Amino acid sequence: MLGFKNPQPDANFINQIRVQVALRSIDPTAETRLIFSGGPTTATRSEARVMADYAVNKLGYQGAYLLEEESRTTWDNIANSLPMIEDVDRIKIASLPAHALKARVYVRRQRPDLASKLVKAADYKFGEWAALKPALAAYSQRTLRAVREDLP
């Protein structure tokens, strides 16, 4: 799960969405290794810690998880998290759809040997965030600009 700038002590709206995506993407029939990724912010805790606390304390997540607390960019999120999941069967990236797509491109660039393990997370539900669609579309365009040449 990829963090988003979170200067306050509690998970902001975007990080809340990303945690919700991650939790609904968990396959209850498979072993799961949940990684919260995101480094220090202007708050006293990392984005990873803020998201983990939200998952556990607000949403009741009781499973195991790992923290990756050094990343400052999406590229870093991927680079720092991949060593923790090299041995898994499937890799799901939890974020908003465009950001998750960008991160999957980064996996392909950094570790082409792991690209075949990428599967889509449950990052979209019909009708979800309907009022935010125009803003999310603009954000998506900006997010994907850097990786456009590698998109299918």
Side-chain angles (χ1 to χ4, degrees):
M1 172 178 340
L2 309 176
F4 181 79
K5 297 173 191 81
N6 205 112
Q8 66 265 30
D10 296 320
N12 63 28
F13 180 69
I14 298 297
N15 282 329
Q16 289 177 16
I17 290 172
R18 291 177 180 186
V19 171
Q20 292 166 18
V21 167
L23 296 186
R24 73 178 178 224
S25 297
I26 293 173
D27 179 350
T29 66
E31 184 179 334
T32 297
R33 186 174 309 161
L34 187 58
I35 300 170
F36 295 96
S37 179
T41 64
T42 55
T44 58
R45 300 181 304 152
S46 68
E47 292 171 356
R49 170 53 59 199
V50 168
M51 291 187 298
D53 287 350
Y54 176 71
V56 171
N57 299 328
K58 300 289 186 190
L59 300 181
Y61 178 69
Q62 297 178 358
Y65 61 88
L66 300 170
L67 298 177
E68 182 290 300
E69 299 180 278
E70 302 299 319
S71 298
R72 294 194 173 270
T73 66
T74 303
W75 183 266
D76 292 346
N77 290 131
I78 298 305
N80 295 337
S81 296
L82 285 177
M84 299 178 189
I85 56 172
E86 291 177 323
D87 62 330
V88 301
D89 295 328
R90 294 182 299 156
I91 300 171
K92 294 180 185 179
I93 297 173
S95 187
L96 296 173
H99 189 237
L101 177 59
K102 177 181 179 178
R104 289 192 300 271
V105 170
Y106 285 177
V107 170
R108 289 183 192 99
R109 286 183 181 176
Q110 293 179 26
R111 292 290 306 273
D113 59 309
L114 298 178
S116 65
K117 296 181 178 188
L118 288 166
V119 295
K120 206 168 175 254
D123 56 12
Y124 178 76
K125 281 173 56 175
F126 181 76
E128 189 173 50
W129 317 312
L132 298 175
K133 290 295 182 190
L136 290 174
Y139 168 75
S140 296
Q141 289 301 312
R142 197 179 99 227
T143 297
L144 296 175
R145 192 173 316 144
V147 297
R148 203 172 296 283
E149 67 274 5
D150 289 337
L151 296 178

